[in-house]
Amino acid sequence: RRQTAEFVRERDIADPFINTQELTQVLQTGSRLGLFAGTRDVEDFRSKFKAVTENVKQITRVLHQTLDEGLKTIKDLQSIGIQPGQAAGAVGLADVAGRVAGRTGAEMVQLGVQGAEMFRGTGVQMGIAYQANIMNLAAVRSQRDAGTLAQEAIAQAGGEEALAQRMTAGGLAYSQT
């Protein structure tokens, strides 16, 4: 416990963009969400805490979320196999694709997680399904905007999100054969 407190104090000095109160919030909320579960020793905890802290600040900036919401986003991504150290990159992809698809980064993260959940227990890496669903939604929108995909076809498929999920399912099923 003492080593953890010393680490948190040292971390505050090393990062001018996060204060002790925020570090405490990351520690408390992250622990409650299970982001530090399976920690073997102090060094392992330090590594996980550092990854969560660095990524949550980027996520809150990109998605315009509170610290608690950012930690929940990391937990959602972790539930589909995207580790906390990779969460900011996954959110960055969602934000960029969201601009193409006419959606917010937060909406795209949720759509990506939904797409990944379709493949839980199938042997498909859910992180790949997350990326594929996001990219397919951006592709549907850009094809619609370019006039190569009719609005009627999108409507018949159940909307842009449904079409993207069908594309994701079809692409990943094809890759399994």
Side-chain angles (χ1 to χ4, degrees):
R1 181 167 257 185
R2 192 182 93 243
Q3 288 177 324
T4 301
E6 288 174 9
F7 172 72
V8 169
R9 275 192 227 104
E10 290 171 9
R11 183 81 183 116
D12 188 38
I13 294 166
D15 188 347
F17 300 110
I18 191 163
N19 61 39
T20 304
Q21 182 181 2
E22 290 172 326
L23 288 170
T24 302
Q25 187 176 354
V26 168
L27 183 60
Q28 289 174 340
T29 305
S31 295
R32 184 175 43 80
L33 292 173
L35 294 177
F36 309 115
T39 302
R40 297 179 301 274
D41 55 29
V42 174
E43 283 306 312
D44 188 32
F45 171 78
R46 284 182 184 194
S47 174
K48 287 181 180 183
F49 185 76
K50 182 178 179 184
V52 169
T53 303
E54 289 173 353
N55 279 269
V56 76
K57 290 304 281 186
Q58 291 179 31
I59 289 168
T60 58
R61 247 188 331 272
V62 170
L63 298 181
H64 309 287
Q65 294 180 329
T66 65
L67 202 54
D68 282 346
E69 291 169 336
L71 290 165
K72 176 73 171 86
T73 298
I74 290 174
K75 179 61 178 174
D76 290 346
L77 293 171
Q78 188 179 43
S79 75
I80 61 167
I82 297 172
Q83 295 306 309
Q86 302 166 323
V91 166
L93 169 69
D95 187 53
V96 170
R99 293 169 199 244
V100 173
R103 289 176 173 70
T104 66
E107 288 174 316
M108 293 298 280
V109 168
Q110 290 310 309
L111 290 167
V113 169
Q114 287 174 5
E117 288 294 342
M118 294 187 313
F119 295 95
R120 185 173 294 285
T122 64
V124 173
Q125 287 185 6
M126 294 173 72
I128 293 172
Y130 167 89
Q131 292 174 350
N133 206 48
I134 287 172
M135 298 305 291
N136 284 330
L137 184 56
V140 166
R141 176 57 72 98
S142 64
Q143 289 174 5
R144 187 207 73 183
D145 291 349
T148 58
L149 182 61
Q151 185 63 41
E152 294 79 23
I154 295 170
Q156 287 177 350
E160 291 177 354
E161 293 90 355
L163 182 55
Q165 287 184 342
R166 285 183 182 184
M167 291 168 62
T168 301
L172 291 174
Y174 177 77
S175 71
Q176 293 260 305
T177 58

